[in-house]
Amino acid sequence: MEDEKNITIETLCYHCGEDLPKLNHTFDNKKFCCSGCLGVYKILSANNLCNYYHYNNSPGQQFKGESHLDYLDEPNIITQLLDYKHQSSSIITFYIPAIHCSSCIWLLEHLYKINPAVFSSRIDFLKKQVTISYNHEEISLRQLVEMLNQIGYEPLISLQDVVKAHSSSVDKTLVLKIATAGFLMGNVMLFSFPEYFGLSGLEKKFQYLFGWLNLAFSIPAAFFCGRDYFVSAITSLKHKHVNLDTPLALIIAVLFFRTAFEIVLNTGPGFADTLTGLVFLLLMGKWLKQRTYHHISFDRDYRSYFPIAVTTLENGKEKPVSINEIQLGDRLWIRNGELVPADAILMKGDAWMDMSFVTGESEPVHKVLGEIIYAGGRQTTEAIELEVIKPVSQSYLTGLWNNENYKNAVEKETFNDSVAKFFSLGVFIIAFAATGYWLFQDESSKAWSAFTAVIIVACPCVLALSTPFTLSAILSVFDKKGFYVKNTDAVEELAKCDTIVFDKTGTLTSTENAAISFGGHLENDEKVLVASLLRNSSHPLSRQILKTLDVDHFHPLKDYREVLGKGLAAKIDRRSIYAGHLSMLPITVENISKSGVHILIDHVYKGHFDVEQQWRPGLKQLMLDLSKYQIHLLSGDTDKDLWRLKTIFSTATKMKFRQSPHEKLNNILALQQSGKKVMMLGDGLNDAGGLKQSNFGIAITDNINNFTPGCDAILKGSSINYLPHFAQLSKDGLKIIKASFAIATAYNCVGIFYAVQGTLYPLVAAVLMPISTVTIICFTTFATRIYARKNKLI
């Protein structure tokens, strides 16, 4: 057997698995079909990366030679392709169609061993994308692409969003296999009709011929259409574990060899109909899952947008627009603390960008006029004016938001594999036990039927499908109501929360229609100074006061600084100006209100803006609907509204005022240490630390760009009254998942009950398998809609 294996390997290219030509290349006692494959092997061997071949046999792609890549030396094209560039560091995302197996992932994640100028590479297997961070001073973009070409992973380069460009594409290989399997199954069924309806004397003459034709059709069905199951099973066995494809590969092999045995020895018609039907139905089930995942992914990336607004400038006037309405050439006004939603050029202002959302480095990066500022950067000083040069990529921003989750992907995969191992082992034990029982009873036909039916009918897919389909359907419902949750894991965290912490300003209140009065006097030129300062802040109070001042021109400023939740300061035309909390004033002022926004110009106190914020409608009913949660209020403001808050919250609510961002964070930590699962709602401005620390953080937005990467969800302020319904639907989602598991378990138990008795024909079991998948998808979809309607979300 070992000799046969070696002979097979000797006739195939060691790298790509293609047939060897007469004139082949030999190196390290290994044969290669061309110099390209030999070159790739030499690169991997020189960099100690030959483990690539241990994950799969012949996992590589045949090297096609260098294509014309001169255009990748053009600065304009490089600029359009890059996700990020600063000093010596660049980040780019490639779509690589050749990604197809675990070896691909392993090799692409070890690019830094081939060239040290590559800092890191991250793979999205489902989207066939690789995101590479590299030093562009040591390796150019063209050289990077050439390196990928040399190892057989040529990127498909497009100046569009690669995910969107290929979002409508389908797995053509899978479609070809389905079509082939369908053709083979139809012909086998046709030649099997005499067996089904009884053989007459005339038809018996053709029985032997029909048997050999069916065997001929079985060969491509098993080894072309069913190849992926064998590859997956062999790979898992090499790593000493059993995955979900192993029993399926075994049954395809058994059906084929049993058919060949019966037809060659002329002892029976074989099981060609069962084999071709099984492969066709398995592939259809696989296609159905792929299409469902694709629909969910596309809907998430291109039809649902973050419910945040970005300020555009039209003829010098500010206008908030939805993030998906941003066009190329638009002028954006990005204030202190706001996120840049798309690649843009700096036109005005002093930009110090916090790029930690993109690179993980929190040290602010200085940008000069005319320089590109990449999507995901956050301005840390005065407001800046940008011109958009690339469309907004929702999928790119979502990917940045979920970067933390990539760290856990390996652990989650290992957990799934362990579940698969125990499930598959259990199926094998039952199948062999049933076979042994019927053989002991001298019922060989029943033993064969029991073995095949148990392995086919015991479908693990339904167990694996229920969680992602249910939670993804819930995300879609949330999106349509202005509640954008970053991923399915966060939905589970939402369901577990038992304590809710509210901020006050910007969360329970809205400044959209606030009543503002000024206690003091400002000259017209002083109003312009105050407006020029407040224009740089994204705080809701600053924005509302700016609207009240109604100024149509502004002055440039210097030395702008903002202390979150406390105040702003800057120099304008050599005059110093301050706006904010009384405690931050550089001078002492007696007998004035401690609340409000106080104004100081050239160390002269000018008065204060008293802001009577509008409470969001329906808060009292909201708190009644949330009565089963433990409620807390943490406000950075004074307790001047305590009387009003007591009419909204129950007497059991714990309220704390004058809380700094650090104190809010400590309060969240204390609750978690006492065993609470904490949900926090804030405006994302001075409570970002608390939102990140909480088990589920929600940033409330009202036509402002206050996206906080540390939060788990963004909620439109107008949708806050839906919060109990969102939380309940997440809990109902867990019920749906449990019900799906119950249905799947019942299906497997009933199927196995009949299978072990040898009364379930294998082809019937093959039909039941995709039916169970369709059942779970339909159940989760309809159950989610029913619960969403019950919670008044659709």
Side-chain angles (χ1 to χ4, degrees), residues 272-312:
D273 53 348
T274 305
L275 171 61
T276 54
L278 172 65
V279 172
F280 175 75
L281 292 167
L282 285 175
L283 293 175
M284 283 299 297
K286 190 175 183 180
W287 178 84
L288 177 64
K289 285 184 284 183
Q290 278 191 8
R291 293 302 301 168
T292 307
Y293 277 124
H294 161 76
H295 173 75
I296 292 168
S297 175
F298 183 82
D299 192 72
R300 184 73 167 158
D301 287 343
Y302 297 104
R303 293 181 186 155
S304 305
Y305 286 87
F306 295 160
I308 59 176
V310 180
T311 303
T312 59

mmCIF file of all heavy atoms in Angstrom, residues 272-312:
data_model
loop_
_atom_site.group_PDB
_atom_site.id
_atom_site.type_symbol
_atom_site.label_atom_id
_atom_site.label_comp_id
_atom_site.label_asym_id
_atom_site.label_seq_id
_atom_site.Cartn_x
_atom_site.Cartn_y
_atom_site.Cartn_z
ATOM 1 N N ALA A 272 -25.017 2.674 -6.838
ATOM 2 C CA ALA A 272 -24.652 3.874 -7.590
ATOM 3 C C ALA A 272 -25.707 4.970 -7.431
ATOM 4 O O ALA A 272 -25.391 6.160 -7.376
ATOM 5 C CB ALA A 272 -24.456 3.525 -9.065
ATOM 6 N N ASP A 273 -27.019 4.563 -7.375
ATOM 7 C CA ASP A 273 -28.069 5.568 -7.216
ATOM 8 C C ASP A 273 -27.953 6.273 -5.868
ATOM 9 O O ASP A 273 -28.094 7.492 -5.764
ATOM 10 C CB ASP A 273 -29.445 4.932 -7.384
ATOM 11 C CG ASP A 273 -29.650 3.723 -6.474
ATOM 12 O OD1 ASP A 273 -28.657 3.237 -5.875
ATOM 13 O OD2 ASP A 273 -30.816 3.261 -6.348
ATOM 14 N N THR A 274 -27.696 5.502 -4.821
ATOM 15 C CA THR A 274 -27.530 6.094 -3.489
ATOM 16 C C THR A 274 -26.305 6.998 -3.446
ATOM 17 O O THR A 274 -26.350 8.103 -2.881
ATOM 18 C CB THR A 274 -27.378 4.988 -2.433
ATOM 19 O OG1 THR A 274 -28.489 4.103 -2.517
ATOM 20 C CG2 THR A 274 -27.311 5.575 -1.032
ATOM 21 N N LEU A 275 -25.201 6.557 -4.043
ATOM 22 C CA LEU A 275 -23.960 7.333 -4.035
ATOM 23 C C LEU A 275 -24.127 8.671 -4.745
ATOM 24 O O LEU A 275 -23.832 9.732 -4.175
ATOM 25 C CB LEU A 275 -22.843 6.518 -4.705
ATOM 26 C CG LEU A 275 -21.527 7.253 -4.982
ATOM 27 C CD1 LEU A 275 -20.905 7.750 -3.696
ATOM 28 C CD2 LEU A 275 -20.555 6.358 -5.734
ATOM 29 N N THR A 276 -24.618 8.633 -5.982
ATOM 30 C CA THR A 276 -24.759 9.885 -6.736
ATOM 31 C C THR A 276 -25.808 10.799 -6.108
ATOM 32 O O THR A 276 -25.628 12.021 -6.056
ATOM 33 C CB THR A 276 -25.141 9.581 -8.201
ATOM 34 O OG1 THR A 276 -26.304 8.740 -8.230
ATOM 35 C CG2 THR A 276 -24.001 8.896 -8.920
ATOM 36 N N GLY A 277 -26.890 10.211 -5.611
ATOM 37 C CA GLY A 277 -27.915 11.019 -4.937
ATOM 38 C C GLY A 277 -27.390 11.661 -3.673
ATOM 39 O O GLY A 277 -27.651 12.839 -3.394
ATOM 40 N N LEU A 278 -26.605 10.911 -2.889
ATOM 41 C CA LEU A 278 -26.028 11.445 -1.649
ATOM 42 C C LEU A 278 -25.095 12.608 -1.944
ATOM 43 O O LEU A 278 -25.185 13.674 -1.315
ATOM 44 C CB LEU A 278 -25.278 10.333 -0.912
ATOM 45 C CG LEU A 278 -24.452 10.774 0.304
ATOM 46 C CD1 LEU A 278 -25.367 11.319 1.396
ATOM 47 C CD2 LEU A 278 -23.606 9.632 0.831
ATOM 48 N N VAL A 279 -24.187 12.422 -2.916
ATOM 49 C CA VAL A 279 -23.227 13.484 -3.236
ATOM 50 C C VAL A 279 -23.954 14.732 -3.728
ATOM 51 O O VAL A 279 -23.640 15.855 -3.319
ATOM 52 C CB VAL A 279 -22.213 12.982 -4.289
ATOM 53 C CG1 VAL A 279 -21.334 14.136 -4.776
ATOM 54 C CG2 VAL A 279 -21.337 11.871 -3.717
ATOM 55 N N PHE A 280 -24.947 14.544 -4.592
ATOM 56 C CA PHE A 280 -25.705 15.695 -5.105
ATOM 57 C C PHE A 280 -26.391 16.456 -3.973
ATOM 58 O O PHE A 280 -26.322 17.691 -3.897
ATOM 59 C CB PHE A 280 -26.739 15.209 -6.129
ATOM 60 C CG PHE A 280 -27.644 16.298 -6.633
ATOM 61 C CD1 PHE A 280 -27.185 17.242 -7.537
ATOM 62 C CD2 PHE A 280 -28.970 16.381 -6.196
ATOM 63 C CE1 PHE A 280 -28.021 18.257 -8.001
ATOM 64 C CE2 PHE A 280 -29.802 17.383 -6.648
ATOM 65 C CZ PHE A 280 -29.335 18.327 -7.558
ATOM 66 N N LEU A 281 -27.047 15.731 -3.069
ATOM 67 C CA LEU A 281 -27.779 16.381 -1.974
ATOM 68 C C LEU A 281 -26.829 17.034 -0.970
ATOM 69 O O LEU A 281 -27.124 18.110 -0.429
ATOM 70 C CB LEU A 281 -28.680 15.355 -1.277
ATOM 71 C CG LEU A 281 -29.856 14.846 -2.139
ATOM 72 C CD1 LEU A 281 -30.501 13.631 -1.505
ATOM 73 C CD2 LEU A 281 -30.879 15.955 -2.346
ATOM 74 N N LEU A 282 -25.678 16.400 -0.715
ATOM 75 C CA LEU A 282 -24.677 17.013 0.170
ATOM 76 C C LEU A 282 -24.182 18.342 -0.406
ATOM 77 O O LEU A 282 -24.060 19.334 0.312
ATOM 78 C CB LEU A 282 -23.492 16.059 0.361
ATOM 79 C CG LEU A 282 -23.694 14.854 1.274
ATOM 80 C CD1 LEU A 282 -22.457 13.955 1.240
ATOM 81 C CD2 LEU A 282 -23.988 15.281 2.705
ATOM 82 N N LEU A 283 -23.901 18.345 -1.701
ATOM 83 C CA LEU A 283 -23.408 19.570 -2.345
ATOM 84 C C LEU A 283 -24.485 20.647 -2.372
ATOM 85 O O LEU A 283 -24.188 21.838 -2.197
ATOM 86 C CB LEU A 283 -22.923 19.256 -3.762
ATOM 87 C CG LEU A 283 -21.677 18.362 -3.865
ATOM 88 C CD1 LEU A 283 -21.382 18.032 -5.325
ATOM 89 C CD2 LEU A 283 -20.461 19.036 -3.227
ATOM 90 N N MET A 284 -25.732 20.267 -2.574
ATOM 91 C CA MET A 284 -26.834 21.242 -2.543
ATOM 92 C C MET A 284 -26.967 21.867 -1.162
ATOM 93 O O MET A 284 -27.197 23.072 -1.025
ATOM 94 C CB MET A 284 -28.145 20.561 -2.948
ATOM 95 C CG MET A 284 -28.289 20.310 -4.444
ATOM 96 S SD MET A 284 -28.247 21.833 -5.421
ATOM 97 C CE MET A 284 -29.708 22.681 -4.826
ATOM 98 N N GLY A 285 -26.839 21.028 -0.122
ATOM 99 C CA GLY A 285 -26.874 21.556 1.246
ATOM 100 C C GLY A 285 -25.733 22.525 1.502
ATOM 101 O O GLY A 285 -25.908 23.569 2.156
ATOM 102 N N LYS A 286 -24.547 22.196 0.969
ATOM 103 C CA LYS A 286 -23.374 23.069 1.123
ATOM 104 C C LYS A 286 -23.610 24.400 0.423
ATOM 105 O O LYS A 286 -23.297 25.468 0.950
ATOM 106 C CB LYS A 286 -22.149 22.363 0.533
ATOM 107 C CG LYS A 286 -20.831 23.019 0.816
ATOM 108 C CD LYS A 286 -19.697 22.137 0.283
ATOM 109 C CE LYS A 286 -18.342 22.713 0.607
ATOM 110 N NZ LYS A 286 -17.252 21.846 0.075
ATOM 111 N N TRP A 287 -24.174 24.352 -0.791
ATOM 112 C CA TRP A 287 -24.479 25.575 -1.541
ATOM 113 C C TRP A 287 -25.506 26.431 -0.806
ATOM 114 O O TRP A 287 -25.373 27.648 -0.739
ATOM 115 C CB TRP A 287 -25.000 25.195 -2.928
ATOM 116 C CG TRP A 287 -25.392 26.377 -3.768
ATOM 117 C CD1 TRP A 287 -24.584 27.159 -4.546
ATOM 118 C CD2 TRP A 287 -26.717 26.918 -3.917
ATOM 119 N NE1 TRP A 287 -25.304 28.151 -5.162
ATOM 120 C CE2 TRP A 287 -26.620 28.029 -4.792
ATOM 121 C CE3 TRP A 287 -27.952 26.581 -3.395
ATOM 122 C CZ2 TRP A 287 -27.733 28.786 -5.150
ATOM 123 C CZ3 TRP A 287 -29.057 27.339 -3.754
ATOM 124 C CH2 TRP A 287 -28.945 28.427 -4.621
ATOM 125 N N LEU A 288 -26.520 25.788 -0.244
ATOM 126 C CA LEU A 288 -27.561 26.508 0.484
ATOM 127 C C LEU A 288 -26.962 27.272 1.663
ATOM 128 O O LEU A 288 -27.279 28.444 1.896
ATOM 129 C CB LEU A 288 -28.628 25.526 0.973
ATOM 130 C CG LEU A 288 -29.760 26.116 1.823
ATOM 131 C CD1 LEU A 288 -30.575 27.099 1.011
ATOM 132 C CD2 LEU A 288 -30.649 25.015 2.377
ATOM 133 N N LYS A 289 -26.056 26.621 2.414
ATOM 134 C CA LYS A 289 -25.410 27.286 3.553
ATOM 135 C C LYS A 289 -24.565 28.467 3.089
ATOM 136 O O LYS A 289 -24.591 29.543 3.693
ATOM 137 C CB LYS A 289 -24.562 26.284 4.328
ATOM 138 C CG LYS A 289 -25.364 25.313 5.182
ATOM 139 C CD LYS A 289 -24.473 24.416 6.003
ATOM 140 C CE LYS A 289 -23.839 23.335 5.176
ATOM 141 N NZ LYS A 289 -23.015 22.411 5.954
ATOM 142 N N GLN A 290 -23.815 28.263 1.991
ATOM 143 C CA GLN A 290 -22.966 29.342 1.474
ATOM 144 C C GLN A 290 -23.806 30.544 1.076
ATOM 145 O O GLN A 290 -23.454 31.683 1.381
ATOM 146 C CB GLN A 290 -22.159 28.853 0.269
ATOM 147 C CG GLN A 290 -20.905 28.080 0.630
ATOM 148 C CD GLN A 290 -20.003 27.862 -0.584
ATOM 149 O OE1 GLN A 290 -20.238 28.407 -1.672
ATOM 150 N NE2 GLN A 290 -18.983 27.045 -0.404
ATOM 151 N N ARG A 291 -24.908 30.300 0.392
ATOM 152 C CA ARG A 291 -25.765 31.405 -0.052
ATOM 153 C C ARG A 291 -26.386 32.131 1.125
ATOM 154 O O ARG A 291 -26.526 33.355 1.113
ATOM 155 C CB ARG A 291 -26.879 30.880 -0.972
ATOM 156 C CG ARG A 291 -26.402 30.334 -2.298
ATOM 157 C CD ARG A 291 -25.636 31.360 -3.103
ATOM 158 N NE ARG A 291 -26.432 32.544 -3.395
ATOM 159 C CZ ARG A 291 -25.936 33.676 -3.879
ATOM 160 N NH1 ARG A 291 -24.641 33.775 -4.112
ATOM 161 N NH2 ARG A 291 -26.712 34.697 -4.134
ATOM 162 N N THR A 292 -26.765 31.389 2.149
ATOM 163 C CA THR A 292 -27.357 32.018 3.338
ATOM 164 C C THR A 292 -26.325 32.892 4.037
ATOM 165 O O THR A 292 -26.611 34.041 4.410
ATOM 166 C CB THR A 292 -27.887 30.941 4.299
ATOM 167 O OG1 THR A 292 -28.767 30.065 3.584
ATOM 168 C CG2 THR A 292 -28.655 31.576 5.446
ATOM 169 N N TYR A 293 -25.113 32.358 4.235
ATOM 170 C CA TYR A 293 -24.052 33.154 4.859
ATOM 171 C C TYR A 293 -23.732 34.387 4.014
ATOM 172 O O TYR A 293 -23.517 35.477 4.536
ATOM 173 C CB TYR A 293 -22.788 32.312 5.030
ATOM 174 C CG TYR A 293 -22.784 31.450 6.265
ATOM 175 C CD1 TYR A 293 -22.596 30.075 6.174
ATOM 176 C CD2 TYR A 293 -22.963 31.999 7.534
ATOM 177 C CE1 TYR A 293 -22.598 29.273 7.300
ATOM 178 C CE2 TYR A 293 -22.965 31.211 8.660
ATOM 179 C CZ TYR A 293 -22.771 29.845 8.538
ATOM 180 O OH TYR A 293 -22.770 29.064 9.657
ATOM 181 N N HIS A 294 -23.686 34.204 2.695
ATOM 182 C CA HIS A 294 -23.382 35.321 1.803
ATOM 183 C C HIS A 294 -24.435 36.417 1.935
ATOM 184 O O HIS A 294 -24.112 37.599 2.015
ATOM 185 C CB HIS A 294 -23.319 34.828 0.362
ATOM 186 C CG HIS A 294 -23.456 35.934 -0.654
ATOM 187 N ND1 HIS A 294 -22.430 36.807 -0.934
ATOM 188 C CD2 HIS A 294 -24.496 36.314 -1.420
ATOM 189 C CE1 HIS A 294 -22.842 37.677 -1.846
ATOM 190 N NE2 HIS A 294 -24.096 37.393 -2.150
ATOM 191 N N HIS A 295 -25.711 36.020 1.963
ATOM 192 C CA HIS A 295 -26.789 36.999 2.075
ATOM 193 C C HIS A 295 -26.666 37.791 3.378
ATOM 194 O O HIS A 295 -26.798 39.009 3.397
ATOM 195 C CB HIS A 295 -28.144 36.297 2.023
ATOM 196 C CG HIS A 295 -29.300 37.216 2.291
ATOM 197 N ND1 HIS A 295 -29.759 38.129 1.362
ATOM 198 C CD2 HIS A 295 -30.075 37.376 3.400
ATOM 199 C CE1 HIS A 295 -30.766 38.813 1.887
ATOM 200 N NE2 HIS A 295 -30.977 38.371 3.106
ATOM 201 N N ILE A 296 -26.374 37.073 4.471
ATOM 202 C CA ILE A 296 -26.224 37.733 5.770
ATOM 203 C C ILE A 296 -25.063 38.713 5.738
ATOM 204 O O ILE A 296 -25.164 39.857 6.186
ATOM 205 C CB ILE A 296 -26.020 36.691 6.885
ATOM 206 C CG1 ILE A 296 -27.310 35.879 7.084
ATOM 207 C CG2 ILE A 296 -25.604 37.339 8.191
ATOM 208 C CD1 ILE A 296 -27.130 34.644 7.947
ATOM 209 N N SER A 297 -23.925 38.262 5.199
ATOM 210 C CA SER A 297 -22.722 39.090 5.147
ATOM 211 C C SER A 297 -22.944 40.327 4.282
ATOM 212 O O SER A 297 -22.588 41.435 4.658
ATOM 213 C CB SER A 297 -21.540 38.273 4.606
ATOM 214 O OG SER A 297 -20.409 39.078 4.437
ATOM 215 N N PHE A 298 -23.560 40.147 3.095
ATOM 216 C CA PHE A 298 -23.786 41.274 2.198
ATOM 217 C C PHE A 298 -24.751 42.271 2.820
ATOM 218 O O PHE A 298 -24.538 43.480 2.772
ATOM 219 C CB PHE A 298 -24.342 40.775 0.863
ATOM 220 C CG PHE A 298 -24.542 41.871 -0.149
ATOM 221 C CD1 PHE A 298 -23.482 42.321 -0.911
ATOM 222 C CD2 PHE A 298 -25.780 42.466 -0.309
ATOM 223 C CE1 PHE A 298 -23.653 43.346 -1.830
ATOM 224 C CE2 PHE A 298 -25.962 43.488 -1.224
ATOM 225 C CZ PHE A 298 -24.896 43.926 -1.991
ATOM 226 N N ASP A 299 -25.814 41.770 3.424
ATOM 227 C CA ASP A 299 -26.801 42.645 4.051
ATOM 228 C C ASP A 299 -26.154 43.464 5.157
ATOM 229 O O ASP A 299 -26.444 44.645 5.327
ATOM 230 C CB ASP A 299 -27.948 41.801 4.627
ATOM 231 C CG ASP A 299 -29.132 42.658 5.027
ATOM 232 O OD1 ASP A 299 -29.819 43.151 4.126
ATOM 233 O OD2 ASP A 299 -29.358 42.820 6.237
ATOM 234 N N ARG A 300 -25.251 42.836 5.889
ATOM 235 C CA ARG A 300 -24.586 43.500 7.014
ATOM 236 C C ARG A 300 -23.626 44.571 6.520
ATOM 237 O O ARG A 300 -23.550 45.669 7.081
ATOM 238 C CB ARG A 300 -23.815 42.443 7.813
ATOM 239 C CG ARG A 300 -23.155 42.962 9.066
ATOM 240 C CD ARG A 300 -24.172 43.256 10.134
ATOM 241 N NE ARG A 300 -23.521 43.461 11.411
ATOM 242 C CZ ARG A 300 -24.041 44.121 12.408
ATOM 243 N NH1 ARG A 300 -25.226 44.653 12.280
ATOM 244 N NH2 ARG A 300 -23.419 44.264 13.549
ATOM 245 N N ASP A 301 -22.878 44.263 5.447
ATOM 246 C CA ASP A 301 -21.823 45.164 5.001
ATOM 247 C C ASP A 301 -22.309 46.294 4.112
ATOM 248 O O ASP A 301 -21.712 47.364 4.086
ATOM 249 C CB ASP A 301 -20.743 44.382 4.241
ATOM 250 C CG ASP A 301 -19.898 43.532 5.179
ATOM 251 O OD1 ASP A 301 -19.938 43.789 6.389
ATOM 252 O OD2 ASP A 301 -19.211 42.617 4.699
ATOM 253 N N TYR A 302 -23.395 46.083 3.339
ATOM 254 C CA TYR A 302 -23.737 47.053 2.310
ATOM 255 C C TYR A 302 -25.160 47.597 2.363
ATOM 256 O O TYR A 302 -25.488 48.492 1.614
ATOM 257 C CB TYR A 302 -23.469 46.443 0.925
ATOM 258 C CG TYR A 302 -22.016 46.137 0.766
ATOM 259 C CD1 TYR A 302 -21.543 44.843 0.854
ATOM 260 C CD2 TYR A 302 -21.102 47.164 0.612
ATOM 261 C CE1 TYR A 302 -20.197 44.579 0.760
ATOM 262 C CE2 TYR A 302 -19.752 46.910 0.519
ATOM 263 C CZ TYR A 302 -19.303 45.616 0.587
ATOM 264 O OH TYR A 302 -17.970 45.351 0.514
ATOM 265 N N ARG A 303 -25.988 47.073 3.257
ATOM 266 C CA ARG A 303 -27.348 47.607 3.348
ATOM 267 C C ARG A 303 -27.624 48.227 4.703
ATOM 268 O O ARG A 303 -28.601 48.931 4.873
ATOM 269 C CB ARG A 303 -28.371 46.499 3.058
ATOM 270 C CG ARG A 303 -28.321 46.020 1.612
ATOM 271 C CD ARG A 303 -29.344 44.942 1.349
ATOM 272 N NE ARG A 303 -29.172 44.406 0.002
ATOM 273 C CZ ARG A 303 -29.542 43.203 -0.368
ATOM 274 N NH1 ARG A 303 -30.117 42.398 0.499
ATOM 275 N NH2 ARG A 303 -29.357 42.782 -1.594
ATOM 276 N N SER A 304 -26.792 47.915 5.687
ATOM 277 C CA SER A 304 -26.960 48.480 7.019
ATOM 278 C C SER A 304 -25.750 49.360 7.316
ATOM 279 O O SER A 304 -24.615 48.933 7.134
ATOM 280 C CB SER A 304 -27.054 47.369 8.072
ATOM 281 O OG SER A 304 -28.076 46.468 7.746
ATOM 282 N N TYR A 305 -25.993 50.559 7.778
ATOM 283 C CA TYR A 305 -24.897 51.488 8.046
ATOM 284 C C TYR A 305 -24.908 51.924 9.505
ATOM 285 O O TYR A 305 -25.944 51.947 10.156
ATOM 286 C CB TYR A 305 -25.000 52.723 7.140
ATOM 287 C CG TYR A 305 -24.614 52.436 5.716
ATOM 288 C CD1 TYR A 305 -25.542 51.959 4.807
ATOM 289 C CD2 TYR A 305 -23.305 52.598 5.289
ATOM 290 C CE1 TYR A 305 -25.198 51.666 3.497
ATOM 291 C CE2 TYR A 305 -22.932 52.308 3.980
ATOM 292 C CZ TYR A 305 -23.879 51.851 3.099
ATOM 293 O OH TYR A 305 -23.525 51.560 1.823
ATOM 294 N N PHE A 306 -23.707 52.279 9.986
ATOM 295 C CA PHE A 306 -23.627 52.807 11.342
ATOM 296 C C PHE A 306 -24.606 53.978 11.466
ATOM 297 O O PHE A 306 -24.596 54.877 10.625
ATOM 298 C CB PHE A 306 -22.220 53.354 11.636
ATOM 299 C CG PHE A 306 -21.134 52.311 11.646
ATOM 300 C CD1 PHE A 306 -19.820 52.673 11.488
ATOM 301 C CD2 PHE A 306 -21.430 50.975 11.834
ATOM 302 C CE1 PHE A 306 -18.805 51.729 11.506
ATOM 303 C CE2 PHE A 306 -20.438 50.026 11.862
ATOM 304 C CZ PHE A 306 -19.116 50.401 11.690
ATOM 305 N N PRO A 307 -25.433 54.014 12.503
ATOM 306 C CA PRO A 307 -26.378 55.137 12.650
ATOM 307 C C PRO A 307 -25.685 56.363 13.225
ATOM 308 O O PRO A 307 -26.061 56.886 14.272
ATOM 309 C CB PRO A 307 -27.426 54.565 13.612
ATOM 310 C CG PRO A 307 -26.673 53.582 14.439
ATOM 311 C CD PRO A 307 -25.609 52.992 13.543
ATOM 312 N N ILE A 308 -24.622 56.805 12.558
ATOM 313 C CA ILE A 308 -23.947 58.031 12.992
ATOM 314 C C ILE A 308 -23.975 59.022 11.839
ATOM 315 O O ILE A 308 -24.059 58.641 10.677
ATOM 316 C CB ILE A 308 -22.485 57.778 13.437
ATOM 317 C CG1 ILE A 308 -21.661 57.156 12.308
ATOM 318 C CG2 ILE A 308 -22.440 56.885 14.655
ATOM 319 C CD1 ILE A 308 -20.202 56.979 12.642
ATOM 320 N N ALA A 309 -23.932 60.301 12.195
ATOM 321 C CA ALA A 309 -23.955 61.352 11.175
ATOM 322 C C ALA A 309 -22.573 61.998 11.099
ATOM 323 O O ALA A 309 -21.848 62.071 12.086
ATOM 324 C CB ALA A 309 -25.009 62.398 11.534
ATOM 325 N N VAL A 310 -22.231 62.442 9.923
ATOM 326 C CA VAL A 310 -20.969 63.143 9.690
ATOM 327 C C VAL A 310 -21.315 64.539 9.204
ATOM 328 O O VAL A 310 -22.248 64.724 8.408
ATOM 329 C CB VAL A 310 -20.115 62.401 8.642
ATOM 330 C CG1 VAL A 310 -18.800 63.122 8.406
ATOM 331 C CG2 VAL A 310 -19.861 60.965 9.087
ATOM 332 N N THR A 311 -20.573 65.541 9.675
ATOM 333 C CA THR A 311 -20.849 66.925 9.295
ATOM 334 C C THR A 311 -20.142 67.261 7.987
ATOM 335 O O THR A 311 -18.915 67.151 7.889
ATOM 336 C CB THR A 311 -20.387 67.893 10.387
ATOM 337 O OG1 THR A 311 -21.032 67.560 11.612
ATOM 338 C CG2 THR A 311 -20.727 69.325 10.017
ATOM 339 N N THR A 312 -20.914 67.639 6.980
ATOM 340 C CA THR A 312 -20.336 68.104 5.717
ATOM 341 C C THR A 312 -20.444 69.622 5.656
ATOM 342 O O THR A 312 -21.261 70.240 6.361
ATOM 343 C CB THR A 312 -21.070 67.498 4.511
ATOM 344 O OG1 THR A 312 -22.461 67.861 4.576
ATOM 345 C CG2 THR A 312 -20.942 65.986 4.512
#
